[in-house]
Amino acid sequence: MGTGFIAYIDLPDAEGAARLAIIVRDLGGDVHLGAVDEVTPELVIATPERIEKLGKRNAWENDRPAILVWADEKSSDVRSILKLQAVDLIDPSDDNSKIKEIIQTTVHDFRMDRSRIDDFRGMAERYREISTIVRLSLEIGVELNVDKVLEMIVQQIYQDLGYEIVSIMLLEEDGRHLTIKAARGLGKKIISSAKVEVGKGVSGLVAKTGEPLLIKDIESDERFLKLKSHGRYSSKSLICVPLKVGDRVIGVLNGNNKKVREELSTHDLSLLSVFASQASVTIERARLYRSLETKADEVKRAYGRLQELDRIKSDFITNVSHEFRTPVTVMLGYLEILTGDLTDPDHLEKVEVALDSAHRLATFVEDSTDILKLEAGKMHFDFKKVAIDTFLEEITQKYWNEFNSKDIEFVVDIIEGLGVVYVDTNKIAKVFDKLLDNSLKFTPAGGYTKITCSDAEGDWVKIIIEDSGPGIPIGEHERVFERFEQSGDILTSKPAGTGLGLSIARAIVARHGGELSIDEDFRDGCRVVFSLPSREPSSIDNEGSY
């Protein structure tokens, strides 16, 4: 065990306190007696009464120390000790060697637990940053208005990465000056009047060299002695990265002042460089699309470039998602191990929160990858003939216990003689998963969820999934199929989800040649209707669609 830990001792028995202080100091610890210091201790040794008082005062709201109870083992109530969230008990009758061993073990275990939690906090922050990149890429990937793209980028950096000042400057047509096109944290006068010559100042230098800059202190950097922060830069550090398409610079992205007041680092520089790379591709893509509307003679060449940029965007997201899967899996594994190893209830609660977030992050990555593959026509479909009754029985088997545990009646009604459907069983199983998961989330106890299968006109089987939940508000039946959209107010108790489930389900059904919609006339809950082919497809292209 390392030395230098802080121990807080609070005993009415002066002799006992002195005895413990000697043992702690022998172990290299720093002893604090009496009132709680501003510095949070790693270890607290106190009587049950003192510990209970400290708990009521919420003495360590943000960083709870390891607690050892000073009490007679024979007369102590185990339940009372556990209620104090103590790690162990020290009996005053124990000899010094045993007490020393208890303290040494407790501090060692506490530091190990805290180190693991700190590691996972760092990992969670990295995954939050990556998910921000993935989300932004999905949102701006379909936007063709340059001004909207720029606003979305600066807003995401300002809001999710915690910068107080963010701006994007683009080169004017003359190629000699930069002007601000989108910003957060700057006054309107600065935004409208700022004009930087290429080669001058921080932004001008980056635009000229095409190389990113991380400046620790703008007022002490010899290259920019004439520049002053004028009170705008709380840390006086800033980042400027180029927006490039190939080797051509089209502008710069600036970031100043972290809201947490930390000095900007090389990690921040790398993260903004990723945003700049994605922004550059999207800006150029939007510009190319605009040129298609005004330059008919360049349509073919511009369209080819547009497709290439789309491929770059899709490859970028696919690669990020692929690299994301392994660390998320590792994180889930370690968090699940930790839930069985941690003894401190406060630490266990934090790890369980992190585990839930990691599961939702894994679902988000999987759904994001699926929607991108469906959009790009890269998802492979393997159609086969299956009996509809057997297929549905296999799909719904895992849901019976879940519906029963929530006191929701679950009914599967299949009309006899339906025969077979021609589907990719894994993909259609995912459709049922998305729809039934929604029913589980929204249907209250005492309600019902019902699956009905029947013949439709032509060579189709109609499937209806109906529940007695709150339903979809009037006017939102199509909006819920948009990516990242969910019914209801996000500030209320809406169940958590990625907002991609219905989009994925509809796209998969469409690739089978069918349609998926929500019955707008059904008012007693939610009714989802979709169709599957009951005949063998006459032709399937190389992507597996009809």
Side-chain angles (χ1 to χ4, degrees):
M1 180 189 72
T3 59
F5 67 95
I6 299 175
Y8 169 65
I9 299 173
D10 189 1
L11 302 179
D13 176 15
E15 183 179 346
R19 179 187 174 197
L20 285 174
I22 293 172
I23 295 173
V24 168
R25 291 190 178 107
D26 283 346
L27 290 171
D30 185 13
V31 177
H32 291 250
L33 301 171
V36 181
D37 289 284
E38 292 182 2
V39 179
T40 301
E42 293 176 87
L43 176 66
V44 171
I45 306 175
T47 60
E49 296 78 17
R50 299 295 176 93
I51 293 172
E52 189 173 359
K53 287 181 180 179
L54 289 172
K56 290 180 179 178
R57 288 170 51 194
N58 207 13
W60 302 289
E61 180 179 2
N62 298 319
D63 196 359
R64 188 178 182 85
I67 296 175
L68 291 175
V69 177
W70 178 267
D72 182 80
E73 186 173 0
K74 294 180 180 179
S75 61
S76 296
D77 179 10
V78 175
R79 288 188 178 180
S80 299
I81 299 300
L82 292 175
K83 187 177 180 181
L84 296 172
Q85 298 184 4
V87 176
D88 205 344
L89 179 144
I90 296 178
D91 192 316
S93 65
D94 289 340
D95 59 37
N96 287 0
S97 62
K98 183 175 181 180
I99 294 175
K100 184 175 182 179
E101 181 182 351
I102 292 173
I103 293 175
Q104 193 170 24
T105 300
T106 299
V107 174
H108 175 270
D109 291 347
F110 174 81
R111 287 184 169 179
M112 290 294 292
D113 288 347
R114 190 170 64 178
S115 175
R116 289 170 181 165
I117 290 172
D118 288 342
D119 287 344
F120 283 114
R121 283 174 179 168
M123 291 173 67
E125 178 65 17
R126 298 292 84 80
Y127 296 139
R128 184 188 66 80
E129 293 169 350
I130 294 174
S131 64
T132 298
I133 295 171
V134 172
R135 187 182 185 90
L136 177 65
S137 301
L138 287 168
E139 290 177 351
I140 68 176
V142 295
E143 181 57 62
L144 298 173
N145 184 296
V146 174
D147 294 334
K148 288 184 178 179
V149 167
L150 299 179
E151 288 295 327
M152 290 166 71
I153 293 169
V154 296
Q155 178 62 25
Q156 201 87 334
I157 295 172
Y158 175 82
Q159 178 178 300
D160 292 347
L161 298 188
Y163 283 82
E164 289 185 339
I165 302 177
V166 186
S167 65
I168 291 179
M169 307 182 77
L170 297 183
L171 280 172
E172 296 288 277
E173 289 185 4
D174 62 10
R176 294 184 297 174
H177 295 91
L178 293 160
T179 54
I180 297 175
K181 299 300 183 183
R184 292 290 184 277
L186 292 176
K188 292 182 179 180
K189 186 176 181 180
I190 294 176
I191 294 173
S192 61
S193 63
K195 191 170 186 178
V196 177
E197 184 179 346
V198 173
K200 301 292 181 65
V202 178
S203 300
L205 178 61
V206 170
K208 181 179 180 179
T209 63
E211 297 296 326
L213 270 183
L214 167 61
I215 300 173
K216 297 292 186 180
D217 186 344
I218 187 65
E219 295 185 358
S220 64
D221 194 304
E222 294 183 356
R223 295 169 295 180
F224 313 107
L225 289 178
K226 294 182 180 181
L227 299 178
K228 297 293 182 182
S229 67
H230 301 294
R232 290 197 301 270
Y233 307 151
S234 60
S235 65
K236 298 182 183 179
S237 65
L238 59 93
I239 287 174
C240 182
V241 294
L243 303 176
K244 300 172 69 175
V245 177
D247 294 328
R248 179 168 58 91
V249 176
I250 63 172
V252 297
L253 170 62
N254 300 298
N256 315 90
N257 291 10
K258 275 295 190 73
K259 294 176 183 177
V260 293
R261 296 296 183 263
E262 293 176 350
E263 186 178 84
L264 298 175
S265 65
T266 54
H267 172 73
D268 297 312
L269 177 64
S270 299
L271 195 59
L272 283 191
S273 295
V274 173
F275 270 89
S277 175
Q278 184 68 7
S280 302
V281 170
T282 307
I283 291 168
E284 184 70 0
R285 176 176 176 270
R287 284 177 167 177
L288 284 171
Y289 182 82
R290 188 168 57 187
S291 73
L292 291 177
E293 296 176 323
T294 58
K295 299 179 180 179
D297 58 334
E298 297 178 2
V299 167
K300 186 175 181 180
R301 180 170 59 86
Y303 181 69
R305 180 61 176 158
L306 182 63
Q307 286 184 314
E308 175 63 13
L309 289 169
D310 273 339
R311 184 192 64 77
I312 293 171
K313 184 262 297 183
S314 295
D315 288 348
F316 173 80
I317 299 299
T318 300
N319 290 337
V320 168
S321 297
H322 175 73
E323 294 298 324
F324 212 5
R325 290 178 189 273
T326 299
V328 167
T329 302
V330 172
M331 183 171 70
L332 285 169
Y334 276 112
L335 286 171
E336 287 170 353
I337 292 173
L338 272 177
T339 57
D341 292 343
L342 290 177
T343 56
D344 187 296
D346 189 54
H347 289 171
L348 181 61
E349 181 183 358
K350 292 176 181 177
V351 170
E352 287 175 343
V353 170
L355 182 60
D356 179 65
S357 297
H359 277 298
R360 286 191 282 115
L361 186 57
T363 301
F364 176 77
V365 172
E366 181 180 355
D367 285 354
S368 299
T369 304
D370 284 345
I371 202 73
L372 284 167
K373 286 181 178 179
L374 285 163
E375 280 186 351
K378 304 256 183 215
M379 182 175 283
H380 176 71
F381 282 72
D382 181 19
F383 297 95
K384 61 182 69 174
K385 180 173 69 174
V386 294
I388 186 66
D389 55 351
T390 304
F391 179 52
L392 276 184
E393 182 178 354
E394 293 175 354
I395 290 175
T396 57
Q397 185 65 39
K398 65 180 180 180
Y399 282 97
W400 288 101
N401 289 337
E402 291 187 66
F403 279 101
N404 287 336
S405 67
K406 294 189 175 184
D407 193 25
I408 299 171
E409 182 183 5
F410 187 36
V411 180
V412 179
D413 185 10
I414 305 173
I415 295 177
E416 293 184 4
L418 279 183
V420 301
V421 288
Y422 290 81
V423 296
D424 182 319
T425 54
N426 290 330
K427 303 301 187 302
I428 294 301
K430 181 168 288 190
V431 171
F432 277 93
D433 285 343
K434 299 298 183 187
L435 300 178
L436 291 176
D437 283 345
N438 278 346
S439 288
L440 274 170
K441 282 189 233 176
F442 291 97
T443 305
Y448 74 91
T449 293
K450 181 179 181 181
I451 301 176
T452 305
C453 294
S454 61
D455 278 319
E457 293 183 5
D459 300 319
W460 298 93
V461 169
K462 182 168 73 173
I463 298 174
I464 299 174
I465 298 181
E466 175 183 312
D467 64 55
S468 58
I472 308 297
I474 296 174
E476 292 192 15
H477 290 80
E478 279 302 312
R479 189 175 69 84
V480 294
F481 288 99
E482 296 175 6
R483 289 179 298 182
F484 303 112
E485 289 289 345
Q486 290 177 294
S487 177
D489 184 354
I490 61 172
L491 299 179
T492 62
S493 57
K494 182 185 72 176
T498 65
L500 295 172
L502 287 175
S503 297
I504 293 170
R506 173 177 269 188
I508 290 175
V509 171
R511 293 295 294 275
H512 285 74
E515 295 180 351
L516 186 149
S517 62
I518 296 175
D519 186 350
E520 297 185 21
D521 297 325
F522 186 69
R523 293 286 184 266
D524 297 323
C526 180
R527 178 185 286 164
V528 180
V529 183
F530 63 98
S531 53
L532 296 176
S534 59
R535 45 88 183 160
E536 187 172 0
S538 57
S539 62
I540 301 175
D541 64 26
N542 58 359
E543 297 299 340
S545 61
Y546 293 102

